[in-house]
Amino acid sequence: MSAAPEHGLEPRYQWPIPPAGGWTADDLDRIPGLPPHTELIDGSLVLMSPQRKFHTRMMWLLEYALLSQVPDGLDVDREMTIKIDRRNRPEPDLIVYRAEADTGLEQTWYEPEAVVLAIEVVSEDSVERDREVKPRKYAAAGVPYYWRVEKEGDLPVVYSYELDPATHVYVPTGIHRERLELKEPFPVTIDLTAINRRRSVED
């Protein structure tokens, strides 16, 4: 049911009404007027709330660190969706993916087989999705590694996970404060305290 416009005025925006059975992954590219970073979870649209500075700074820190350390054959993108199945197209904050999966500048999603690492930076409105719903879906789709980033005081803490191929669930590989150092999916070291330091243009 849609609300009638008051005083004869047309509403500025009419929310899309889902079809029977919900939206599909392909619909996400065709629905007009969606806000940026809209996801599809179980056939329902999930809209992102405005993000806090912690979220933005954490994404900058991780993106720079990953791009500077990722090996040949892999690449890094932010805020690109993964087409898991017909009813699910979540958008991790960052992904590391196989470079051959890049199809050009018009690309809007990746197959889960192409994604090596999915990263979510938790916001107040995404706690349940990032702790439970999305990692469960990434694991079932076969994404080998998952990081969840949360705010602890003024600093981030990173929870890292690896996929158990026998059970298709993630098992924890570490809780990282101040410094993240891992060997898989490739050797990477990140100074997590750098979130509060601005990087100069020359760096």
Side-chain angles (χ1 to χ4, degrees):
M1 174 183 292
S2 61
E6 296 180 5
H7 311 299
L9 297 176
E10 289 295 324
R12 287 186 176 182
Y13 180 74
Q14 300 221 351
W15 294 103
I17 299 173
W23 301 107
T24 70
D26 290 334
D27 290 332
L28 204 56
D29 290 328
R30 297 193 289 254
I31 303 170
L34 287 180
H37 315 307
T38 300
E39 303 180 281
L40 185 73
I41 304 292
D42 295 328
S44 297
L45 300 177
V46 178
L47 280 58
M48 301 294 103
S49 65
Q51 298 295 348
R52 299 190 178 192
K53 183 179 285 189
F54 170 82
H55 191 278
T56 301
R57 288 287 182 92
M58 194 65 220
M59 288 179 62
W60 286 349
L61 174 63
L62 291 174
E63 184 178 29
Y64 180 87
L66 291 169
L67 283 170
S68 65
Q69 300 178 64
V70 70
D72 292 342
L74 298 178
D75 207 344
V76 180
D77 265 340
R78 60 190 296 173
E79 299 167 330
M80 290 283 288
T81 56
I82 303 173
K83 188 186 284 189
I84 290 178
D85 55 33
R86 183 175 177 272
R87 290 168 48 84
N88 289 280
R89 218 175 116 184
E91 182 185 288
D93 287 308
L94 288 156
I95 60 170
V96 176
Y97 64 96
R98 304 184 196 286
E100 67 265 20
D102 188 335
T103 63
L105 296 180
E106 299 302 313
Q107 187 169 1
T108 59
W109 53 269
Y110 289 97
E111 297 280 2
E113 294 81 7
V115 179
V116 174
L117 167 67
I119 304 172
E120 298 285 1
V121 181
V122 177
S123 301
E124 287 187 3
D125 71 333
S126 71
V127 173
E128 183 178 352
R129 290 195 304 275
D130 294 343
R131 288 181 178 176
E132 300 178 27
V133 178
K134 293 171 77 172
R136 186 170 66 247
K137 292 182 181 297
Y138 297 149
V143 176
Y145 297 91
Y146 176 67
W147 297 355
R148 188 183 79 248
V149 185
E150 303 207 16
K151 184 175 179 290
E152 190 174 84
D154 291 331
L155 291 174
V157 54
V158 179
Y159 300 83
S160 59
Y161 300 86
E162 183 173 353
L163 185 67
D164 181 336
T167 61
H168 284 274
V169 298
Y170 286 126
V171 294
T173 59
I175 301 175
H176 311 270
R177 295 177 174 87
E178 296 190 353
R179 182 181 177 88
L180 180 149
E181 190 166 1
L182 289 167
K183 299 297 184 185
E184 301 293 341
F186 55 89
V188 60
T189 301
I190 303 174
D191 178 4
L192 299 175
T193 67
I195 189 174
N196 293 320
R197 297 198 299 270
R198 291 192 63 180
R199 186 174 301 281
S200 68
V201 176
E202 290 78 16
D203 285 352

